[in-house]
Amino acid sequence: MREIIASSIMVHEYPFSIVEDTVWMWAFKYANADFEKVSRQTIKNDCMTLYQEEKKCLKAELINVNRISITIDMWKSNHQVAGYMVITGHFIDSEWELQKRVLSFVKVPPPRRGVDVADAIFKRLQSWGIEIKVFSVSVDNAAYNDVCIRNIKSTLLRSNNLVLNGNIFHVRCCAHILNLLVQHDLSHIKGIIENVRESVKYVNQSYSRLKTFYDIVKQMGVKERKLVIDCPTRWNSTFEMLSTALIFKDVFPEYKEKELYYNYLPSAEEWSKVEKVSNLLEVFSHVTNVISGSDYPTTNLYLPEVYRVKEVIDAAIEDNDDFMREMTRPMKVKSDKYWGECNLLMAVASVLDPRCKLHVVNIFFPIIYKSEFEATENVEKEKAALEDLYNEYCAISLRFSPK
C-alpha cells in the first residue's frame, strides 16, 4: 500500500501532505484493514527508496546497451534565478524496442558556461557508466552548447569511442531550429497578430458579443467553427488562431458595423499577409508534428521533412511579393546553415530506412544541390560514411560474438 502511495505521488506530482487527507487514508484502510496511516517523512523516504530501486534496475539494463543517444534541455526558472538541465537517454533495448529515460535532472549554477555544462553532463554520464557508449548528443542552438559539445567530443575522441570519428555526434535540435525560423516569421506581422488576438478576445468576452458574431456567420453562410485564442509563447497555437480567424475574415467587417466599440479590425492587406504567413506555417506545423514524436524513431524522417521546409522557403524567396521575400530571406540563411551542419546524419538515417535506401539521397541531393558536381560529391560522401559505419558495426559485432 505504501508503494502504491509513493508511486501515485511521483506519477501525479501530488504533495507529500496528501497522506494527511482523511478520505485518501480511509480508502487505503478500506482496501486493507492492516494498513496504518503514515507521515509525510515516511512517504518521502518511501519515494526515495522506490527511486533508488528503479535507478538500480535502469543501470543494470544500460550495461547491456551498446550505444545510447542523449538529449540535453536547459532552461531558467521564472520564479528564481536558477538554471536547470535535464539529460534524457534514448536507446534500443534487448527486445529491439525504442526506450526513452530521464537520466538526470540537475541544477546548473552560474555562470553556466559551455565548459561548466560539459563538466556537469560528463559527471552524470559517468555516474550511469555510459560515458563510452554515447552515440550522439542533441541540443538546441544556444551558443554555449557549441563549446559544451566540443569539450565532450574532444574528451570522448581521446578514447576513440565515437562513431564515424564524431562526425554525427553533435545533433542540433531540428524542432528548435524550426521554432527559431517560425518566430522570425511571426515577428514580421507582430502588430497584425495582436489585432487578431484582441479581436478573438473581444468576441469571446461575453455571450451577447458571441451571439452577434455567430448570427452574422450564419447569415453569410460561413462554415461555422469556434474562434481559437492562442498561447503567445507557443507558435503552433498562434498558427491555429490565425488559420481559424482567416475563415471568418469576411465576418469581422460586418461585425464592426454592429459593434461600435470593436477597434481591432485587420485591414484587407493585413488579412492577405496573415493568409500568406499561415500557408507557410502550415508546412512548418506538419513537419514539427512528424519529427517531434517520442514513441517512434524520427531521424530517418528528417531528410524529406527538412527538404520540404527548404523547398517552401526557396519558393517564397522567388515570390513576386516583396513582403514574402523580405520575410523569408533571413529564414533561408538559417535553414541553409542547419542543412549544411546536419545533412550527413539526416542522409545516413534515411538510407538506413529500408523504405528509402540510397534512392532518397539520389532523388533529393540533385534537387537540393544545384550543381551536379556538388550533388555527386555529397552522394559519394554519404556512401563512404555508410561504409565506415558498417565496418565499425562489424568490428563491434566480432568483439561481442562468442569465441
Side-chain angles (χ1 to χ4, degrees):
M1 289 296 182
R2 280 168 53 182
E3 187 176 342
I4 291 172
I5 295 173
S7 298
S8 298
I9 285 173
M10 290 190 285
V11 169
H12 299 293
E13 300 180 9
Y14 294 141
F16 292 125
S17 60
I18 198 166
V19 296
E20 297 171 356
D21 184 271
T22 53
V23 176
W24 238 57
M25 291 302 102
W26 170 76
F28 280 95
K29 188 75 174 176
Y30 183 83
N32 186 341
D34 295 329
F35 176 75
E36 295 295 335
K37 184 179 177 181
V38 292
S39 67
R40 296 188 194 189
Q41 188 59 46
T42 300
I43 208 64
K44 179 181 176 182
N45 293 338
D46 287 350
C47 286
M48 290 305 299
T49 301
L50 192 57
Y51 163 74
Q52 293 297 340
E53 288 175 359
E54 290 293 328
K55 184 176 180 179
K56 188 177 178 182
C57 291
L58 179 57
K59 204 167 184 177
E61 186 179 0
L62 290 175
I63 292 174
N64 299 317
V65 173
N66 288 329
R67 290 290 178 182
I68 182 168
S69 293
I70 62 173
T71 302
I72 309 297
D73 285 307
M74 289 193 66
W75 67 94
K76 288 182 181 179
S77 168
N78 291 328
H79 308 293
Q80 48 187 310
V81 187
Y84 295 91
M85 175 174 68
V86 62
I87 303 174
T88 308
H90 309 264
F91 59 93
I92 305 296
D93 66 14
S94 58
E95 301 296 324
W96 282 92
E97 293 290 331
L98 177 64
Q99 300 293 337
K100 173 185 174 184
R101 296 286 187 274
V102 174
L103 301 178
S104 188
F105 184 89
V106 292
K107 185 176 180 180
V108 183
R112 290 185 286 277
R113 299 168 303 174
V115 179
D116 302 320
V117 176
D119 185 53
I121 292 171
F122 202 76
K123 284 179 180 176
R124 298 310 180 282
L125 297 179
Q126 285 179 317
S127 71
W128 284 98
I130 58 172
E131 69 278 9
I132 63 171
K133 298 183 176 185
V134 178
F135 181 85
S136 66
V137 181
S138 298
V139 292
D140 63 28
N141 214 36
Y144 62 80
N145 278 330
D146 291 341
V147 178
C148 167
I149 301 302
R150 197 158 53 241
N151 271 268
I152 297 175
K153 184 176 176 179
S154 63
T155 302
L156 295 178
L157 278 172
R158 291 191 198 107
S159 52
N160 196 30
N161 285 315
L162 292 184
V163 174
L164 291 181
N165 201 33
N167 288 330
I168 55 175
F169 179 71
H170 183 185
V171 182
R172 296 184 186 274
C173 177
C174 191
H176 183 252
I177 297 294
L178 291 178
N179 182 58
L180 291 177
L181 296 180
V182 171
Q183 294 298 345
H184 182 276
D185 189 1
L186 293 177
S187 67
H188 279 75
I189 58 167
K190 189 176 180 181
I192 303 173
I193 292 173
E194 192 60 32
N195 274 344
V196 174
R197 185 181 294 127
E198 291 302 322
S199 294
V200 175
K201 283 182 182 178
Y202 185 90
V203 171
N204 286 330
Q205 202 165 32
S206 71
Y207 174 77
S208 61
R209 290 178 182 177
L210 202 60
K211 186 177 183 305
T212 302
F213 186 83
Y214 282 103
D215 283 344
I216 300 171
V217 168
K218 288 178 181 178
Q219 289 170 12
M220 298 185 70
V222 178
K223 188 176 179 181
E224 190 171 336
R225 187 177 173 185
K226 289 185 178 179
L227 289 167
V228 178
I229 189 68
D230 73 328
C231 172
T233 57
R234 293 177 55 208
W235 72 263
N236 53 337
S237 71
T238 302
F239 160 66
E240 188 179 359
M241 178 187 73
L242 294 177
S243 57
T244 304
L246 270 171
I247 299 171
F248 302 103
K249 68 176 183 178
D250 295 326
V251 175
F252 282 104
E254 296 295 325
Y255 183 69
K256 170 66 177 171
E257 296 295 321
K258 296 188 177 184
E259 285 285 340
L260 299 178
Y261 296 105
Y262 169 54
N263 299 314
Y264 309 105
L265 179 65
S267 66
E269 183 184 355
E270 289 174 334
W271 279 121
S272 176
K273 289 181 179 179
V274 168
E275 187 169 6
K276 289 173 181 176
V277 169
S278 292
N279 290 336
L280 196 65
L281 293 187
E282 188 173 3
V283 176
F284 280 82
S285 180
H286 168 79
V287 172
T288 301
N289 289 336
V290 169
I291 67 175
S292 296
S294 59
D295 298 328
Y296 54 87
T298 56
T299 316
N300 57 309
L301 308 174
Y302 281 14
L303 179 59
E305 297 303 331
V306 170
Y307 170 71
R308 187 186 301 221
V309 169
K310 184 175 172 59
E311 188 178 40
V312 76
I313 291 176
D314 287 347
I317 288 288
E318 303 297 326
D319 198 287
N320 294 326
D321 190 338
D322 292 339
F323 166 73
M324 289 298 290
R325 289 201 304 272
E326 183 184 346
M327 180 180 65
T328 52
R329 198 173 290 116
M331 293 174 70
K332 179 172 171 57
V333 173
K334 282 188 172 70
S335 172
D336 288 348
K337 180 185 176 185
Y338 177 72
W339 167 253
E341 292 175 342
C342 293
N343 57 3
L344 180 65
L345 176 66
M346 291 182 197
V348 167
S350 293
V351 171
L352 291 176
D353 187 328
R355 298 167 300 178
C356 301
K357 301 185 180 180
L358 276 169
H359 300 303
V360 70
V361 173
N362 291 329
I363 292 170
F364 281 123
F365 276 25
I367 301 172
I368 293 170
Y369 298 103
K370 305 303 179 186
S371 160
E372 184 180 346
F373 171 78
E374 196 177 2
T376 305
E377 185 182 41
N378 278 279
V379 169
E380 292 305 315
K381 182 181 175 183
E382 295 301 332
K383 289 180 179 178
L386 284 162
E387 189 173 343
D388 291 342
L389 196 61
Y390 174 74
N391 290 335
E392 286 188 31
Y393 175 76
C394 286
I396 292 171
S397 299
L398 289 171
R399 196 164 63 228
F400 287 100
S401 62
K403 300 294 183 183

